[in-house]
Amino acid sequence: MKKINSVQLPLFIFVAVALGTVFLWNFAVEQEKSHIERVIQLKSDGVNEVISDQLEARAQSLIRMAKRWEIQGRPAQKAWESDASLYVSHYSGYQAIEWVDPTLHARWVVPFKGNESEVNKDLGADEGRASALKASMDRNEILFSRPSKLENGENVIFLSVPIFRNNFFEGYIVGNFRIKEVLDSFLKRESTEGYSIKLFSANDEVYVNKADSFGDAWAQDSEIELYGASLRLRVEPSYNTLHEMQSGLSNLILAAGLTVSVLVALMVYFAQNARIRAKAAEAANTELEREVKDRKRAEAEAERNSAEVTVKNRELEQEISERKRAEEAVEKHASELERSNRELEQFAYVASHDLQEPLRVISGYVQLLAKRYKGKLDPSADEFISFAVDGANRMQVLISDLLAYSRVGSQIKEFRETDCQEVLSSTISNLKPLIDETNAKITATALPKVMADSSQMCQLFQNLIGNAIKYKHEAKYPQVHISSVKKGSEWLFSVKDNGIGIDPKYFDRIFVIFQRLHGKHEYSGTGIGLSICKKIVEKHGGRIWVESQPGEGSTFCFTIPI
Ligand code: ADP
């Protein structure tokens, strides 16, 4: 079903009620109109009847005079005149009653006064009157003439009654009426207040009672047919009369109906709007309630969260302060460690340096003993002396290595641009005897220039390449490849060999001082070399590590910042 919007229904109701109102109004107007027409018709009928009756009464009196003449013969003039005067005084509107002889001359005239000119007047000279008189005689009928206007402007009408005594024509009884006078007197009897009464002969207006303004549209015409006279009577209501008859009911209906239609339409419109608004308000309320609930929930959640956050914050603060304490402790330990390391290095340096002198004395004298007394004492003495020489030699190596280790920290010079290519060349020439002895093959890619201590870089390369040759595979000639590649902000160097390899579980251990994986009879060494390497790399801000598998060679990698 199509939804009716808030304007359509009120508009529909307005149109429907308005249409009904217009219909009712139209009906009322028609009713009123026919009522008014009926009232005017009644008035017109009344007036028509009065005029007809009065004319008829006058006609009858003249007929009576003629009849009397026909029966009794021509009366004496005096008797006739007194008879006629009676009628003139009895019936209003007469100008005169005349006896007109067959030659159309008016012989007797009543009243005489005022009508002197009528006496012996030849009516045949007036064509209109003559023809009317003749027609009345010819047809032996009472006839009215057509109304005519006198010189003084008065409209008059004549009624002629022919007199036939024993079929012998003896003239006419003629009644002259002043139309205005005769009708005014008639209409006194019928109330014509509020109406205009007009009389027409053909199209000529011969009588009007009032010259006010009247409603032509409401005029009622009727015919007065009497003794050959053909008159048209017109009755018109005055505007006041019309207004009085118009009840105004129709207009009231129209106004009330339209007002009601507007009111009803507005009522429906407002009712509809109110309903729509109520619904919208309800929806908004529900929405609001839901929002309030959501907000409350969110607030509760936020409160819970904030409580949790507070707890967490407190925990975090605690943790931070603990961590700070720990860091402080670590820092303290580190600085203590550094201090003790420095002391230890200092001690190692001083010790190894100071030990060198007595050791040289011991070694010199032991070697002297071996030279002078070999084979001169018992065999055990020779063996003891050789143990002492060997021990002294090892002690010398150990002390020189230890000295080298302790020097790395204390003797570091300013970093200078160092060409690793040159460093590698001098390293190879230092190791030449070992390389020749083992038939080692050394290869390298182009190496970069770095900011470093060149002598320490030389020691680093020497230790790594020396180890790569020393820890060689029994069945292979040693092959060592040195390369470098730029990685981000540092150079990555690698020294790769094809030697015995290292078990990954020892990867960390080998960089610790004095840590060795082999006995002194398998491979000579002090276990200091790699720890020196680690110290040098770290002093240069880099890292060192090894990648290897047992039997598959090792790759020692280290980085130097660019
Ligand atoms: P050493 O004086 O014993 O060589 P280092 O510190 O140089 O002391 O080396 C520590 C240990 O690491 C060595 O004893 C050896 O077992 C192992 N090692 C070092 N370099 C290599 C290598 N290139 N191949 C195999 N093992 C190695």
Side-chain angles (χ1 to χ4, degrees), residues 467-468 470-471 497 502 510 515-518 525-527 529-530:
N467 277 354
K470 183 163 73 175
Y471 296 102
D497 64 47
I502 306 165
I510 56 173
Q515 290 294 333
R516 304 198 67 225
L517 302 181
H518 304 280
T526 56
L530 285 181

Side-chain angles (χ1 to χ4, degrees), residues 458-476:
C458 191
Q459 195 172 5
L460 176 62
F461 276 117
Q462 203 164 311
N463 283 358
L464 293 177
I465 297 169
N467 277 354
I469 296 170
K470 183 163 73 175
Y471 296 102
K472 74 181 194 67
H473 215 280
E474 263 178 17
K476 296 176 194 166

Side-chain angles (χ1 to χ4, degrees), residues 304-322:
R304 223 176 16 252
N305 280 351
S306 95
E308 273 173 25
V309 165
T310 321
V311 170
K312 284 244 167 74
N313 265 354
R314 224 170 280 147
E315 283 174 7
L316 215 63
E317 271 168 22
Q318 219 167 341
E319 209 177 302
I320 286 170
S321 62
E322 271 171 18

